[in-house]
Amino acid sequence: MNDTICALATAPGGALGIIRVSGSKAIAAVSAISRVRCDAVAPNTTHFTRILTSPPSEGRGEVIDEAMVTVFRAPHSYTGEDSVEISCHGSRYILNKVLELLLQHDCRMAQPGEFTQRAFLNGKMDLSQAEAVADLIASTNKATHQIAMSQLRGHFSSELHDLRSQLLKLTSLLELELDFSDHEDLEFADRTELLHLAQTIDARLSHLAQTFETGNALKQGIPVAIIGAPNVGKSTLLNALLGEERAIVSDIQGTTRDAIEDTIQLDGITFRFIDTAGIRHTDDQIENLGIERSIGAAQRARIILLMTEPGVPYPDIPVSDSQTVIRIENKTEAFQAKFGIGLDHLRQQLIDAAPKTSESDVIVTNARHYDALLHAREAILRVIDGLQMQLSGDLLSEDLRQAIDILAEITGGQITTQETLNNIFQHFCVGKFSEYKRILRR
């Protein structure tokens, strides 16, 4: 954290490249290789300059590039430190030369993710927001971009902050019960209130955990299984949707033996299509394996395209309440996959069946966050069970502390003993001042 770091902040190969410099010597280092006195300019301003092989004070020097430098003063920068961004032409030679010059002026190359790590350590973002930076860079469609932006802007963090406040309140109430239960003149929440608060926390944890299925589907591509009897046009439909000959089309039954997957984007949403073996009764062992995989693909899919043709019944497969089934009768006047008839209507049906998101929605996409939410909920459920069984407050506090610590793993924060005491004093009536001092001495 005491070093000044530099690195290319843009992907190589473009017309322009941005080099980010951050740390206590960032402004001095850039001043030493350019004709701009970065220490003398206003923060958050951009200036034209020339990058030189030697400081202006030592002579003219060779001009490496004409560039723009933007100066940020701590704490108002991405990392929370003094920072400078140098926008150069995208030549590999130029970018490498600028980095080489910076290394000669008290800078070192940044480790992967180090700028974001410093932003976290300097309190510019919490852990969940830091992880959202990677998700934002990796976003491939509108839906995943919106989810990443929501998390980066702190919507998920705000939800966790609210949960943290509720947990703090519950902790404080338990502390009151433990410390002042022998004082009849003191008023604090009874077990009914504690139970209601714990159930409220559990409901919110459950809701957040349930969004992971949607978030994971949007991130990986919404799974769509094309299910039907042999030769009803499943592979033809896949090829028509993809706009390429991805699957082999044949009049011979049973030619599709394994699932074929590919993705397309519709209205900013990625759909992952799975063409499966036709479902029928057969003595062919290999084809039966393909049919078993078809049924498995249908069970895992969020959307099922159940396909048939005139005179052929729809296959009988189990469908859950969480799945959307779109029935397609191919080779009819309304729908012919081979000629693209009815595809626009099908695409709209797929869009309508996809989960809707906005930047204000809180949707969990990170497996680490999902796992933490599940474990935190397990701890809260033990608190609820303990309250219903009238267990003592010290036993309940153990499970409650575990829930707090698990949620802290998501954002990187914890509830301290002092916070608990402050919350007690600010929001609850606890009687005599002598009692306050007794707690503080503990």
Side-chain angles (χ1 to χ4, degrees), residues 6 29 32-33 52-55 96-108:
C6 62
I33 68 169
L52 307 171
T53 55
S54 60
N96 288 335
K97 191 64 179 180
V98 174
L99 288 170
E100 179 185 322
L101 292 171
L102 289 168
L103 295 179
Q104 295 172 9
H105 291 85
D106 298 319
C107 296
R108 68 164 172 83

Side-chain angles (χ1 to χ4, degrees), residues 45 82 97 171 219 325 334 372 408:
T45 57
D82 285 347
K97 191 64 179 180
T171 302
K219 195 173 184 178
V325 177

Side-chain angles (χ1 to χ4, degrees), residues 279-383:
I279 297 178
R280 66 167 181 164
H281 176 73
T282 177
D283 294 326
D284 188 316
Q285 291 184 348
I286 297 177
E287 187 179 351
N288 273 325
L289 287 175
I291 292 171
E292 289 177 8
R293 293 184 179 183
S294 297
I295 296 173
Q299 292 173 339
R300 294 188 300 272
R302 193 179 183 98
I303 301 174
I304 298 175
L305 300 184
L306 205 56
M307 200 168 183
T308 189
E309 63 180 8
V312 177
Y314 285 106
D316 185 17
I317 59 170
V319 177
S320 70
D321 293 337
S322 62
Q323 293 176 302
T324 298
V325 177
I326 299 176
R327 294 178 177 267
I328 302 170
E329 188 176 11
N330 192 28
K331 304 176 186 179
T332 64
E333 183 177 343
F335 195 97
Q336 292 193 44
K338 184 176 182 179
F339 302 108
I341 298 173
L343 286 186
D344 286 343
H345 178 62
L346 175 59
R347 291 188 185 100
Q348 189 58 53
Q349 286 180 292
L350 289 166
I351 293 168
D352 293 341
K356 303 298 183 289
T357 64
S358 68
E359 283 190 15
S360 61
D361 291 337
V362 177
I363 297 176
V364 176
T365 62
N366 187 301
R368 186 181 74 85
H369 301 169
Y370 175 65
D371 185 64
L373 290 168
L374 290 182
H375 283 84
R377 187 169 181 236
E378 289 174 2
I380 286 298
L381 287 174
R382 290 196 297 271
V383 173

Side-chain angles (χ1 to χ4, degrees), residues 22 24 40 48-49 83 112 158 168 212 217 245 253 288 320 358 379-380 402 404-405 435:
S22 182
S24 60
F48 171 80
T49 190
S83 300
S158 179
L168 179 57
F212 179 71
E245 295 297 317
Q253 291 189 347
N288 273 325
S320 70
S358 68
I380 286 298
Q402 186 176 7
I404 292 169
D405 290 342
E435 298 288 353

Side-chain angles (χ1 to χ4, degrees), residues 159 201-212 362 364 373 377:
E159 287 284 343
I201 294 171
D202 171 59
R204 193 58 198 159
L205 287 171
S206 176
H207 172 77
L208 287 173
Q210 288 172 5
T211 66
F212 179 71
V362 177
V364 176
L373 290 168
R377 187 169 181 236

Side-chain angles (χ1 to χ4, degrees), residues 266-279:
L266 301 174
D267 196 33
I269 303 168
T270 299
F271 293 86
R272 179 162 49 87
F273 289 92
I274 307 163
D275 179 26
T276 63
I279 297 178

